[in-house]
């Protein structure tokens, strides 16, 4: 049909014109994710926390290494002294100058503390691992947000194209109505109605473009770059229709970083109990050092004194009674373990519930995508036939407008359902920990 060929041609021209508007930059999905992972502020903040946990995870912080200290002191005085000896002789010294100086270093090394230091070191390592799981969680959240924003913009670009093609159909209707009026086969009312619908479609097109610009700003914000950057995205996106619930559920237990973080938190609580229980055992420390001391005093028995040498020793101590604090701390640690176990179960249950709901949405949207795609084809065929009949004068403008409205509504529903199906796919992969791009 001539009308159908015209619609196809105008749609193609519209598609090319829309693409040229955003030709300044074509942002691929991989580029968007790469930029987000590099620039996203939330990821940077979580990574800083991991760096702190990594710095804290060492033997020294666990108390496994010796402590070496050095000290230096010096001082003096200037005094007027009077000394009376046993014989009655009195000795006066004015401006007697006294001085002293000393330096040295000491080493203290706890060699046994009931294995608390080993439990503490393992706890610090576990905290570092938990921090990395938190990074993975934030990365998954960021990727999910970027994918959602990217595909939302892809959907909106297609809505803009569809809105522009609707203007072309309304423009054709307006020209036909005007031509009929000029040859005496139409009415002024048809021309005015066609003009009103044309203006309405133009308004819809402008609103869709404004939404597209807003979504562009939102995506730029997620990428942590200049929000005024203009770009386009790929319009076509496929949906993975092969996701299996049983496989996803198994992957969730093994890969979900939130669940893994909860499990590591339980391990931290168990190691904290071991660290506290270590206080029941004796603490043994080795100590050694080197000291040098020098003093001068013209009024003393010895006018000068010097001493230097090494010292060494062993210290052992054990907590016999501290007001039942040991028992209290152990009980609290056991409660923390119970709490951590409960949090693991709660987290797992919540994630499984989310996975189940998301999978139900996923299967439903897949069916709706097929249905709406068929509706789009039928609505477009109906619009082609209706346009031809309108050109021949066999139907009223209202019937044409209704067919036009049905076509655009079917297209909008299809794009929205397809977008929702893609989001459900992304969410399933996020929960199962398999969102790997």
């Amino acid at each position: 049909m001539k009308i159908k060929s015209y619609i196809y041609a105008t749609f193609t021209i519209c598609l090319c014109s829309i693409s040229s508007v955003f030709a300044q930059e074509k942002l691929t999905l991989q580029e968007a994710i790469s930029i987000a992972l590099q620039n996203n502020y939330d990821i940077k903040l979580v990574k800083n926390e991991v760096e702190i946990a990594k710095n804290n995870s060492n033997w020294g912080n666990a108390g496994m290494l010796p402590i070496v200290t050095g000290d230096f002191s010096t001082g003096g005085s200037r005094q007027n002294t009077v000394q009376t000896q046993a014989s009655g002789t009195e000795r006066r010294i004015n401006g007697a100058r006294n001085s002293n100086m000393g330096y040295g270093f000491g080493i203290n090394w706890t060699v046994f503390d009931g294995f608390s230091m080993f439990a503490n070191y393992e706890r610090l390592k576990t905290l570092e691992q938990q921090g990395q799981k938190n990074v993975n969680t934030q990365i998954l959240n960021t990727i999910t947000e970027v994918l959602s924003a990217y595909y939302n913009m892809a959907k909106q670009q297609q809505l803009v194209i569809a809105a522009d093609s609707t203007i072309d159909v309304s423009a054709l209707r307006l020209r036909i109505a005007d031509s009929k009026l000029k040859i005496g086969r139409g009415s002024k009312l048809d021309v005015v109605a066609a003009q009103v619908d044309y203006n309405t479609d133009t308004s819809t097109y402008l609103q869709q473009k404004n939404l597209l610009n807003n979504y562009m700003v939102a995506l730029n914000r997620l990428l942590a770059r200049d929000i005024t950057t203009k770009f386009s995205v790929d319009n076509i996106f496929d949906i993975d229709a092969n996701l299996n619930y049983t496989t996803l559920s198994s992957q969730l237990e093994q890969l979900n970083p939130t669940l893994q973080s909860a499990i590591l938190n339980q391990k931290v609580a168990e190691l904290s109990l071991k660290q506290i229980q270590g206080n029941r055992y004796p603490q043994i420390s080795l100590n050694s050092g080197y000291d040098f001391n020098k003093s001068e005093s013209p009024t003393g028995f010895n006018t000068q004194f010097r001493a230097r040498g090494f010292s060494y020793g062993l210290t052992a101590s054990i907590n016999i009674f501290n007001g039942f604090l040991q028992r209290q701390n152990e009980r609290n640690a056991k409660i923390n373990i119970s709490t951590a176990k409960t949090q693991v179960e709660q987290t797992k249950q919540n994630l499984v519930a989310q996975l189940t709901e998301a999978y139900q949405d996923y299967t439903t949207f897949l069916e709706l995508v097929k249905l709406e795609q068929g509706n789009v084809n039928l609505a477009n065929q109906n619009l082609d036939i209706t346009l031809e009949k309108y050109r021949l004068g066999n139907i009223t403008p209202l019937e044409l407008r209704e067919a036009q409205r049905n076509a655009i509504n079917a297209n909008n529903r299809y794009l929205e359902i397809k977008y929702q199906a893609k989001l459900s796919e992304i969410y399933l992969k996020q929960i199962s920990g398999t969102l790997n791009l």
Side-chain angles (χ1 to χ4, degrees), residues 73-347:
S73 64
T74 184
S77 65
R78 195 175 185 90
Q79 299 175 335
N80 297 326
T81 65
V82 178
Q83 294 179 336
T84 303
Q85 300 177 353
S87 60
T89 304
E90 189 177 83
R91 182 186 177 191
R92 292 178 177 270
I93 301 176
N94 294 326
R97 186 172 183 178
N98 302 316
S99 64
N100 60 81
M101 185 267 288
Y103 61 84
F105 67 89
I107 301 176
N108 186 278
W109 189 3
T110 300
V111 294
F112 181 77
D113 62 351
F115 305 104
S116 292
M117 64 178 73
F118 297 100
N120 191 26
Y121 179 70
E122 191 174 354
R123 183 182 66 86
L124 293 173
K125 282 294 184 183
T126 304
L127 287 173
E128 181 183 351
Q129 296 173 15
Q130 188 179 32
Q132 188 58 55
K133 296 299 180 184
N134 293 338
V135 170
N136 294 342
T137 299
Q138 185 58 53
I139 288 176
L140 281 177
N141 291 340
T142 300
I143 292 178
T144 300
E145 290 178 352
V146 171
L147 290 175
S148 176
Y150 188 93
Y151 289 126
N152 192 27
M153 188 172 168
K155 177 196 71 174
Q156 191 61 34
Q157 282 182 174
Q158 295 180 72
L159 288 175
V160 171
I161 294 172
D164 198 42
S165 65
T166 302
I167 294 177
D168 292 329
V169 174
S170 296
L172 175 61
R173 172 190 164 193
L174 180 60
R175 285 196 295 271
I176 292 174
D178 189 60
S179 297
K180 287 182 178 181
L181 178 64
K182 289 180 180 178
I183 62 177
R185 295 180 57 189
S187 66
K188 182 67 175 176
L189 180 62
D190 290 343
V191 175
V192 172
Q195 183 66 56
V196 170
D197 289 339
Y198 175 84
N199 293 342
T200 300
D201 293 338
T202 302
S203 174
T204 300
Y205 169 75
L206 294 176
Q207 293 178 49
Q208 295 287 9
K209 282 191 66 177
N210 182 63
L211 280 176
L212 178 59
N213 289 329
N214 291 340
Y215 294 150
M216 192 182 303
V217 170
L219 184 52
N220 279 328
R221 180 185 61 80
L222 285 175
L223 302 184
R225 65 177 187 174
D226 186 0
I227 61 174
T228 61
T229 302
K230 299 296 182 181
F231 61 94
S232 64
V233 299
D234 293 325
N235 284 336
I236 300 175
F237 55 88
D238 298 323
I239 301 171
D240 186 357
N242 299 317
L243 299 181
N244 179 269
Y245 179 82
T246 303
T247 303
L248 291 170
S249 179
S250 176
Q251 291 170 333
L252 182 152
E253 295 186 10
Q254 299 175 10
L255 301 176
N256 183 275
T258 302
L259 180 58
Q260 295 301 314
S261 178
I263 293 174
L264 288 173
N265 189 56
Q266 178 183 335
K267 184 178 179 181
V268 169
E270 293 169 349
L271 290 171
S272 296
L273 174 60
K274 287 184 178 181
Q275 187 178 355
I276 293 172
Q277 288 174 335
N279 294 330
R280 289 185 174 274
Y281 297 90
Q283 179 172 311
I284 301 174
S285 302
L286 299 177
N287 52 78
S288 180
Y290 174 84
D291 296 290
F292 173 83
N293 292 286
K294 175 185 175 182
S295 63
E296 295 183 0
S297 176
T299 62
F301 182 78
N302 297 317
T303 58
Q304 291 186 345
F305 173 80
R306 290 186 183 183
R308 68 179 70 191
F310 289 94
S311 62
Y312 56 87
L314 181 145
T315 303
S317 63
I318 186 170
N319 176 29
I320 299 176
F321 179 75
N322 63 349
F324 302 109
L325 292 179
Q326 178 66 27
R327 184 177 63 179
Q328 170 189 308
N329 293 336
E330 289 182 7
R331 287 178 175 177
N332 291 340
K334 290 177 181 178
I335 293 174
N336 289 335
I337 293 175
S338 177
T339 300
K341 288 181 179 179
T342 303
Q343 289 175 342
V344 169
E345 294 301 321
Q346 183 184 38
T347 300

